[in-house]
Amino acid sequence: MVSLTHYLALGAIVFVIGAAGVLMRRNAIIILMSIELMLNSVNITLVGFSRQWGDMTGQVFAIFIITVAAAEAAVGLAILVSLNRDRTALNVDEVNLLKW
Amino acid sequence: MELLFFYMFSAGIIGASLLMVTRANVIHAALLLVLTFFFMSGIFILAGAEFLAVVQVLLYAGGIMVLYLFSIMLMNVEVSVRLRQYHRQSFFAVAASLILIFEVWTVLGRGGSYPAFKGFSWQLGATPGNVEALGSVLYTKYLFPFEVASILLLAAMIGAIVLAKRTIDR
């Protein structure tokens, strides 16, 4: 029997993998993909709660999260495409014009 | 049986996402992320969320990841394969991740028992099924957030066009 703790643990592990990817990698595209991974791990948690209580609200919010992820991917990739015009490699530690 | 499939899909998710985070080639990372999304849709089916599983494959694997792959083809990513892959703050990042997973481990361990699993309020093939139950909640109780989400998508569409346009005519 799969319990709620299984879903929560899986969501937490995938979230931490995504967070480590965001913090460690230099490539901006892989950072965006890691953010997608983190959003999806939250979906796993919501679906686990939805199953536990037999309530649809978790799945409704998972759909909203997918919407936000699509918007984020579109805008983020547009920023990366416009950033790629004046530099060759998309490394986040080289984009430091506004850094203190 | 359900537990066996859960562990299989979980192993797939964790393995593919670990590989995705560590690849130097961006295309490989994108394809591994698609694989992760397929395993996640398996988890959703196990949890009785059939509509979300289909949306996961259609929207994430079919829509968002194709957008990623097209954008990767628009940029030149061959250069960055030969460069240093990890940030200088990697040590702190690993430390923060370990602290985070330890915290979650502690909370889950001490969380005590959750209320018992009540069973699905919908069943496969029954009326109302999962899609019907989801639609009836989404279009009545959550109608306003649904409309706000459509405004968000419109704003993202306009923003993407404006950002990716080479010059803006005034």
Side-chain angles (χ1 to χ4, degrees), chain B:
Chain B
M1 196 63 184
E2 195 191 354
L3 202 61
L4 177 71
F5 272 98
F6 183 85
Y7 281 129
M8 241 170 60
F9 288 134
S10 308
I13 289 174
I14 293 171
S17 56
L18 273 178
L19 275 176
M20 187 279 278
V21 164
T22 51
R23 287 307 90 183
N25 193 328
V26 186
I27 301 269
H28 294 174
L31 293 178
L32 280 165
L33 192 57
V34 172
L35 187 64
T36 313
F37 289 155
F38 272 105
F39 283 126
M40 276 186 186
S41 78
I43 290 278
F44 288 165
I45 285 183
L46 277 188
E50 294 109 21
F51 181 71
L52 264 183
V54 173
V55 163
Q56 181 87 2
V57 173
L58 275 180
L59 251 175
Y60 260 116
I64 297 182
M65 289 322 290
V66 168
L67 180 66
Y68 269 93
L69 284 173
F70 269 111
S71 310
I72 290 168
M73 287 168 200
L74 282 178
M75 308 171 199
N76 52 345
V77 290
E78 294 87 2
V79 190
S80 58
V81 178
R82 292 190 295 275
L83 297 178
R84 186 166 52 88
Q85 292 297 318
Y86 293 100
H87 210 277
R88 275 192 304 277
Q89 66 189 12
S90 280
F91 172 73
F92 300 103
V94 171
S97 308
L98 287 178
I99 291 172
L100 189 58
I101 199 80
F102 175 72
E103 277 180 22
V104 173
W105 189 264
T106 314
V107 169
L108 282 183
R110 289 190 184 175
S113 61
Y114 299 95
F117 174 44
K118 279 186 187 164
F120 305 118
S121 58
W122 63 91
Q123 280 180 347
L124 197 60
T127 53
N130 174 251
V131 182
E132 219 174 324
L134 188 66
S136 68
V137 176
L138 184 62
Y139 290 117
T140 53
K141 195 176 169 190
Y142 294 103
L143 184 63
F144 182 66
F146 183 76
E147 300 290 341
V148 173
S150 69
I151 302 279
L152 175 71
L153 280 179
L154 178 68
M157 197 168 72
I158 296 171
I161 292 170
V162 169
L163 281 171
K165 215 161 143 53
R166 202 166 289 272
T167 51
I168 297 175
D169 307 321
R170 303 228 175 252

Side-chain angles (χ1 to χ4, degrees), chain A residues 15-29:
Chain A
F15 187 86
V16 171
I17 290 173
V22 170
L23 292 174
M24 282 169 68
R25 296 302 302 259
R26 289 174 79 215
N27 196 324
I29 305 172

Side-chain angles (χ1 to χ4, degrees), chain A residues 31-47:
Chain A
I31 288 180
L32 269 186
M33 287 195 232
S34 302
I35 294 174
E36 298 285 337
L37 194 66
M38 290 164 79
L39 289 167
N40 256 287
S41 72
V42 177
N43 276 354
I44 292 179
T45 307
L46 284 173
V47 167

